[in-house]
Amino acid sequence: MEMSHLISLLILLSFETFGDSLRFPKNFKFGVATASYQIEGGWNASGKGENIWDRLTHEHPDWVKDHQNGDVACDSYHLWKQDVEMLKYLNVTFYRFSLSWSRILPSGFSNYINPDGVRYYNDLINELLKNGIEPMVTLYHWDLPQPLQEVGGWPNPLLAKYFEDYAKIAFELFGDRVKTWITFNEPPEVCESGYAEGANAPCYKSSGIGDYMCGKTLLLAHARAYHIYDKLYRPKQKGKVGITIDAIWAEPKTNRIKDIKAAERQMQMDLGWWAHPIFSKSGDYPEIMKNRIGNLSKAENFSSSRLPQFTENEIRFIQGSFDFFGLNHYSSWLVSDLKIPVNAPVSHWKDVSVLMQQDPKWKPSAATWLKVVPWGLRKLLNWIKKEYNNPPVYITENGFADFGELNDFGRLDYLKGYLNALLKAILLDGCNVKAYTCWSLMDNMEWRDGYTLKFGLYYVNFTNPKRTRTEKASAEFYKTIIETRTILEDLEQVIVL
Ligand SMILES: *[C@@H]1O[C@H](CO)[C@@H](O)[C@H](O)[C@H]1NC(C)=O
Ligand SMILES: *[C@@H]1O[C@H](CO)[C@@H](O)[C@H](O)[C@H]1NC(C)=O
Ligand SMILES: *[C@@H]1O[C@H](CO)[C@@H](O)[C@H](O)[C@H]1NC(C)=O
Ligand SMILES: *[C@@H]1O[C@H](CO)[C@@H](O)[C@H](O)[C@H]1NC(C)=O
Ligand SMILES: *[C@@H]1O[C@H](CO)[C@@H](O)[C@H](O)[C@H]1NC(C)=O
């Protein structure tokens, strides 16, 4: 018997002896996620336009850890039928994937629609539905068409309108079959990594200024897409539109008041920056964010706050523009108060003024930032429940990084811990979580880390022209969770047998 089959048998036997008490609700949905640039390849196939990740990896291969790119990646542009077979094997309720804006609108603008891009996503969506798998579609997962970057990218307020045009075309083309839409994936990464820290394409470094301009456009772009759906498509298509925000859990490092306040400030100025305008009763940025950036800007002799304000109309336009709260969560940090002098260089970090560390006792992963802290997820879900009146939450990403081993017990252990914490948040705390998504279906192009980090339930052989996919132990484990709707507590003991 193959090792993976032995494992799956042991997992199954143990599940059957497990009680009925800790089960996910009947209508709870399980899925897996990917993103266009990370899996599709076909970077210049059949009329696709260039995007900012094509540009970055081609112009600066040395900015990617292994000097690789997404030109071929998992080749899902050709191998999408295999992807659907894997999804079917896993028995997921839904598949979260993203549309490549440049594949559909090569110039970024709505003046020309590329028929091959439409054909590709129609094929994928139809194949999913044929196999009883719901498509959950992200409109923007970081791959901005390069021509829109040439005019400044997200700090340019006009992009809100161009995004609405793109969203409208996607609703029009695919909305008869796609019922769950995510406007943006991880705004903090789009704006902080992209325009402040220089970590992700387009790799600009304008912290404390460019990131806030980007944020304003992005929130308005999200709301425009939500409202156009509401007005023109919802009556017939009857789907849901939300946004996916990524968040850490910020645990106060000590129980001193100033560290407790610092951790709360971190939550408000990173997650709240995006969530407060959309999900709070009052709308707009969190008060503490407006105050701090306003006061610091004044002390720095700016003529007005570096945080561009919304008008009253814009505040009302953005507030309530959701059908669900998409949440990506991977890890937690210990947060303490930090005093930064007023004459230090302008930055978002200075605006927040906290020190972030991770406990060396937390289990590591292959990614330096990703430590295994399951209880952080439960605290985060409770924070969202309290702060935003318990909205329906879809966990749209959660996962573990390793180096690609088939017997990926680190990933198994991570999923076990986080799903247990999630179950407690739902059953014991009453958090309104409706769906869970594991990142990722398969190993893929991990942005600036190239192919050095792996998050997949399936292994992909990137040196094989056929990009062969092989299931890992975690695939069996996740499949069993989906089928039994429960989690095994003593899995490690079972595996050690
Ligand atoms: C696509 O890019 C590859 C290099 O990745 C190149 O060899 C090929 O000629 C390009 N095809 C088109 C149609 O531009
Ligand atoms: C910012 O300044 C205003 C008045 O100038 C003050 O009321 C507020 O408390 C200050 N906020 C912070 C966070 O320091
Ligand atoms: C702002 O201007 C004042 C008065 O000109 C000056 O004393 C102060 O150092 C300036 N602050 C910064 C952060 O440059
Ligand atoms: C990946 O594919 C290459 C080329 O076909 C093959 O030589 C290699 O053994 C494969 N690696 C694994 C781990 O399967
Ligand atoms: C898929 O999971 C459901 C429970 O969600 C179960 O009833 C069904 O048997 C599973 N299908 C397969 C093919 O394993």
Side-chain angles (χ1 to χ4, degrees):
M1 200 186 309
E2 273 179 43
M3 182 69 176
S4 68
H5 290 138
L6 179 62
I7 291 167
S8 87
L9 183 67
L10 291 171
I11 293 172
L12 204 63
L13 285 174
S14 316
F15 267 98
E16 288 189 344
T17 61
F18 197 64
D20 209 28
S21 50
L22 276 180
R23 277 187 203 280
F24 284 95
K26 264 214 174 60
N27 52 1
F28 191 85
K29 295 181 177 185
F30 289 98
V32 290
T34 60
S36 46
Y37 183 74
Q38 294 180 274
I39 66 160
E40 283 180 5
W43 82 274
N44 59 359
S46 300
K48 177 181 163 293
E50 184 190 26
N51 66 44
I52 55 175
W53 278 93
D54 297 324
R55 177 64 66 94
L56 176 138
T57 57
H58 294 157
E59 276 198 346
H60 304 283
D62 52 313
W63 290 8
V64 179
K65 217 177 228 169
D66 54 4
H67 298 199
Q68 298 295 307
N69 57 47
D71 287 3
V72 180
C74 306
D75 201 18
S76 288
Y77 177 71
H78 295 106
L79 303 179
W80 52 275
K81 272 201 176 170
Q82 286 184 25
D83 296 349
V84 178
E85 278 170 27
M86 286 142 63
L87 293 161
K88 197 174 176 199
Y89 179 77
L90 290 172
N91 199 7
V92 290
T93 329
F94 65 91
Y95 176 40
R96 175 179 177 229
F97 62 97
S98 78
L99 304 181
S100 162
W101 187 339
S102 306
R103 199 179 291 291
I104 299 172
L105 305 178
S107 73
F109 297 92
S110 57
N111 56 337
Y112 173 70
I113 301 177
N114 177 28
D116 181 68
V118 180
R119 189 268 320 152
Y120 175 68
Y121 293 113
N122 271 334
D123 282 351
L124 174 60
I125 291 166
N126 292 341
E127 185 76 5
L128 288 170
L129 292 174
K130 207 173 88 190
N131 286 283
I133 300 161
E134 295 170 22
M136 177 188 277
V137 173
T138 311
L139 289 167
Y140 186 79
H141 202 125
W142 304 3
D143 41 0
L144 187 71
Q146 183 63 30
L148 294 176
Q149 189 57 54
E150 302 296 332
V151 294
W154 291 109
N156 180 343
L158 292 175
L159 258 72
K161 170 69 166 65
Y162 300 134
F163 178 77
E164 178 189 331
D165 292 346
Y166 160 56
K168 191 164 174 283
I169 283 167
F171 299 149
E172 185 84 43
L173 289 169
F174 310 120
D176 57 332
R177 288 152 294 154
V178 173
K179 302 301 166 192
T180 310
W181 294 97
I182 293 163
T183 54
F184 285 91
N185 180 69
E186 303 190 348
E189 304 316 309
V190 174
C191 294
E192 278 300 305
S193 300
Y195 296 89
E197 291 159 3
N200 279 345
C203 291
Y204 287 150
K205 294 187 178 168
S206 175
S207 189
I209 296 177
D211 43 3
Y212 297 143
M213 293 181 182
C214 168
K216 183 177 178 186
T217 315
L218 192 152
L219 282 161
L220 285 166
H222 158 79
R224 274 176 173 266
Y226 179 87
H227 287 293
I228 201 79
Y229 187 84
D230 217 31
K231 200 165 109 195
L232 300 183
Y233 301 99
R234 190 192 299 280
K236 257 198 159 157
Q237 299 183 351
K238 302 193 188 330
K240 290 181 160 52
V241 180
I243 186 169
T244 279
I245 308 174
D246 58 311
I248 60 153
W249 170 248
E251 178 74 5
K253 185 169 181 200
T254 73
N255 54 18
R256 285 181 307 182
I257 296 287
K258 62 179 189 167
D259 288 344
I260 293 171
K261 279 189 165 169
E264 177 65 13
R265 187 161 74 239
Q266 166 67 32
M267 292 303 296
Q268 291 292 353
M269 291 183 71
D270 271 337
L271 174 52
W273 172 2
W274 312 97
H276 199 275
I278 299 172
F279 297 95
S280 73
K281 276 234 154 61
S282 50
D284 204 357
Y285 295 118
E287 220 39 56
I288 189 167
M289 184 167 182
K290 288 191 293 181
N291 271 337
R292 284 185 74 90
I293 301 171
N295 293 0
L296 257 176
S297 302
K298 198 183 267 176
E300 292 158 346
N301 298 328
F302 283 87
S303 64
S304 59
S305 178
R306 289 180 278 101
L307 181 69
Q309 299 297 289
F310 292 117
T311 65
E312 272 307 311
N313 277 341
E314 287 173 335
I315 290 170
R316 279 196 298 275
F317 187 68
I318 296 169
Q319 196 274 331
S321 60
F322 71 93
D323 299 315
F324 60 88
F325 189 126
L327 176 70
N328 288 359
H329 175 73
Y330 288 89
S331 197
S332 293
W333 293 78
L334 299 174
V335 172
S336 43
D337 186 49
L338 188 67
K339 293 272 174 285
I340 301 178
V342 68
N343 60 358
V346 164
S347 74
H348 174 63
W349 177 70
K350 176 184 169 190
D351 294 336
V352 185
S353 288
V354 299
L355 180 68
M356 294 176 57
Q357 298 160 302
Q358 286 182 311
D359 189 330
K361 290 199 288 289
W362 293 343
K363 277 189 210 165
S365 76
T368 50
W369 51 271
L370 203 170
K371 304 285 191 286
V372 185
V373 197
W375 51 262
L377 172 61
R378 186 175 174 188
K379 288 198 176 192
L380 173 61
L381 289 169
N382 275 280
W383 191 89
I384 291 169
K385 176 189 175 202
K386 170 180 69 76
E387 200 67 20
Y388 307 119
N389 194 28
N390 210 11
V393 171
Y394 298 177
I395 295 177
T396 42
E397 283 182 31
N398 175 246
F400 180 80
D402 60 18
F403 297 110
E405 43 274 31
L406 289 181
N407 287 319
D408 54 343
F409 298 141
R411 177 163 299 107
L412 233 98
D413 181 61
Y414 180 97
L415 291 175
K416 183 186 62 161
Y418 277 76
L419 283 162
N420 246 312
L422 169 59
L423 205 41
K424 286 176 186 154
I426 296 172
L427 299 180
L428 306 180
D429 310 336
C431 294
N432 191 14
V433 186
K434 304 284 196 197
Y436 174 87
T437 319
C438 179
W439 182 271
S440 173
L441 170 62
M442 59 189 151
D443 296 342
N444 54 50
M445 203 294 177
E446 185 55 26
W447 312 108
R448 297 272 304 270
D449 283 316
Y451 300 90
T452 62
L453 296 181
K454 306 291 167 63
F455 282 87
L457 297 174
Y458 279 77
Y459 164 88
V460 178
N461 186 344
F462 291 104
T463 57
N464 190 317
K466 293 194 177 127
R467 295 297 190 272
T468 45
R469 289 112 154 94
T470 310
E471 74 190 69
K472 303 180 188 176
S474 59
E476 290 298 331
F477 178 62
Y478 193 46
K479 179 179 169 63
T480 313
I481 287 176
I482 294 172
E483 282 162 17
T484 59
R485 317 193 76 76
T486 191
I487 307 144
L488 194 65
E489 287 288 350
D490 56 353
L491 188 75
E492 272 159 347
Q493 292 162 27
V494 174
I495 295 294
V496 169
L497 290 173

